[in-house]
Amino acid sequence: MEERYIHAMINKIKCNGPYMVLAKGFAVPHAGVDDGGKKTGFSLIKLNHPVDYNSPLGEVQFVCCLSVTDMVSHLRAFFSLVNLLQNKEFYKKMIECKTPKSLHELIQKYE
């Protein structure tokens, strides 16, 4: 993604508040399809120290940055992620992951 995509994500949070907190402990910051995304993709991190986005869903431990280039891929990627988060077994196991590799393998298993 281009640097302007990062600025667009930050501005969306400033303007819209914690809209990107989709589930307890999980945020998906993203910007619009014309804001500098070069391809559709995810970047998932597990924070050592949760961040308070002032969301009713509480502090965030996982941040999944979503990069998109068109509305179709945006919706597919977004709903794919939402479906994963609605799976209680996946969510519980995601929290228990200790390494990036184990988290990657878990996502592949449930995808």
Side-chain angles (χ1 to χ4, degrees):
M1 68 182 66
E2 297 173 13
E3 188 171 339
R4 66 186 177 103
Y5 192 89
I6 297 165
H7 295 292
M9 286 190 297
I10 294 168
N11 286 334
K12 284 187 97 170
I13 294 167
K14 287 178 180 177
C15 293
N16 301 317
Y19 76 96
M20 76 298 197
V21 180
L22 299 184
K24 184 179 179 195
F26 202 96
V28 183
H30 60 285
V33 296
D34 296 325
D35 287 327
K38 292 189 173 196
K39 65 180 185 176
T40 299
F42 294 103
S43 176
L44 177 62
I45 60 171
K46 183 178 181 183
L47 304 173
N48 289 329
H49 305 286
V51 173
D52 185 1
Y53 280 92
N54 206 21
S55 167
L57 295 173
E59 292 183 329
V60 169
Q61 184 176 12
F62 292 90
V63 178
C64 183
C65 180
L66 174 61
S67 172
V68 296
T69 57
D70 63 80
M71 192 54 72
V72 172
S73 62
H74 172 95
L75 292 174
R76 280 188 190 143
F78 190 79
F79 285 116
S80 175
L81 184 58
V82 168
N83 287 334
L84 279 175
L85 293 174
Q86 288 180 343
N87 183 319
K88 291 180 183 182
E89 183 180 338
F90 168 81
Y91 193 82
K92 180 180 182 262
K93 288 181 178 183
M94 179 181 70
I95 292 170
E96 295 170 354
C97 285
K98 301 291 186 209
T99 66
K101 182 179 180 184
S102 64
L103 186 54
H104 182 259
E105 289 170 353
L106 179 69
I107 291 169
Q108 286 184 317
K109 178 181 175 183
Y110 281 85
E111 202 170 34

